[in-house]
Amino acid sequence: MSAPTGSSRPANSPLPGSGAWRKNGANHQTADAKLLETPRSSAFTHTDPWRVMRIQSEFVQGFDALADIGPAISVFGSARTKPDSPYYITGMEVGRRLVEAGVAVITGGGPGSMEAANRGAAEAGGLSIGLGIELPFEQGMNEWVGLGVDFRYFFARKTMFVKYAQGFVVLPGGLGTLDELFEAMVLVQTGKVSSFPIVLVDKNFWAPLLDWIRSAMVTEGLVSPGALDIFSLADTAEEAVALVMAGKAGEQLAAQES
């Protein structure tokens, strides 16, 4: 087909706006050819667009794995707690009592207090869940996890802790435990979650932190006094489970039984 009369476009040139291609043309590849070409390196997996897909896959994986677990409580605590520690023993009892109360137990899936809660839940015959995270020093899932999901991104993992739990039991721990505790408090304070009990175990351990919040943050007007009402304190596993089950988890179980 020749170009219209008066046109300066060569007869064999593509129409404006059309896709240009040439049979056996030099340095030209179809989209399909590029897609099916074997990559020369894995560099493309480290680009931000690819990370978006990876992040999406983590959310889908978590949602799919946890959608049908029923009422659950997340238990936080230090990965450094030793098996002969009183905190470990309390963690085991918390896990056991939660299962006996009718809920699943969710932890970070690691060692220490996380392992203790998973162990207590597993030995009681309940659903013991671990949400692991990729860390340079991570030891992997503890042996008491019945349902495990691994994450690369903290924010995807944190979403699962909150979305699929109806409350938190917080054992003594370090920076990771504090991070999870304060994030939960902010979600309650800002109304992002409702009827969400947070129970701190071991009053003596938490007392210095709470005293500092009162003497520094509340006194300076940086935090309202009501912020300290967001959580409850307990000294025993029995107290902790009773307090956390007084919230949404207990309500859901009661609704199921009625």
Side-chain angles (χ1 to χ4, degrees), residues 139-196:
Q139 300 178 21
M141 291 283 185
N142 68 69
E143 62 179 308
W144 301 100
V145 170
L147 172 60
V149 185
D150 281 309
F151 294 88
R152 288 186 176 90
Y153 300 98
F154 268 116
F155 55 85
R157 180 190 189 221
K158 287 179 177 179
T159 299
M160 305 304 153
F161 278 131
V162 177
K163 180 174 176 61
Y164 293 102
Q166 286 72 50
F168 288 168
V169 174
V170 187
L171 298 164
L175 295 179
T177 302
L178 289 177
D179 176 52
E180 290 151 347
L181 167 60
F182 282 114
E183 178 159 2
M185 291 176 64
V186 169
L187 291 173
V188 173
Q189 183 186 47
T190 56
K192 296 296 185 181
V193 293
S194 59
S195 185
F196 197 89

Side-chain angles (χ1 to χ4, degrees), residues 185 189 213-214 216-228 230:
M185 291 176 64
Q189 183 186 47
I213 293 175
R214 291 189 189 95
M217 302 178 79
V218 173
T219 299
E220 293 292 334
L222 304 174
V223 172
S224 67
L228 296 174
I230 290 174

Side-chain angles (χ1 to χ4, degrees), residues 20-22 25-37 40:
W21 65 277
R22 294 187 179 87
N27 300 319
H28 285 276
Q29 257 188 325
T30 65
D32 282 338
K34 290 180 179 179
L35 174 65
L36 298 175
E37 184 180 44
R40 297 177 182 176

Side-chain angles (χ1 to χ4, degrees), residues 51-68 131 147-153 155-157 159-160 163-164:
R51 288 191 184 98
V52 170
M53 299 301 294
R54 180 178 287 171
I55 291 166
Q56 181 182 35
S57 74
E58 291 206 351
F59 279 105
V60 171
Q61 178 189 22
F63 294 159
D64 184 61
L66 303 175
D68 298 318
L131 307 180
L147 172 60
V149 185
D150 281 309
F151 294 88
R152 288 186 176 90
Y153 300 98
F155 55 85
R157 180 190 189 221
T159 299
M160 305 304 153
K163 180 174 176 61
Y164 293 102

Side-chain angles (χ1 to χ4, degrees), residues 77-145:
S78 175
R80 302 184 183 189
T81 302
K82 303 301 181 185
D84 59 353
S85 165
Y87 300 151
Y88 189 99
I89 296 170
T90 300
M92 283 186 60
E93 189 175 355
V94 166
R96 175 179 64 80
R97 286 182 176 273
L98 286 172
V99 166
E100 291 174 350
V103 298
V105 173
I106 303 174
T107 80
S113 293
M114 294 176 283
E115 175 186 294
N118 284 134
R119 180 176 177 179
E123 290 183 343
L127 181 55
S128 177
I129 301 167
L131 307 180
I133 186 69
E134 179 184 64
L135 294 173
F137 48 82
E138 186 61 60
Q139 300 178 21
M141 291 283 185
N142 68 69
E143 62 179 308
W144 301 100
V145 170

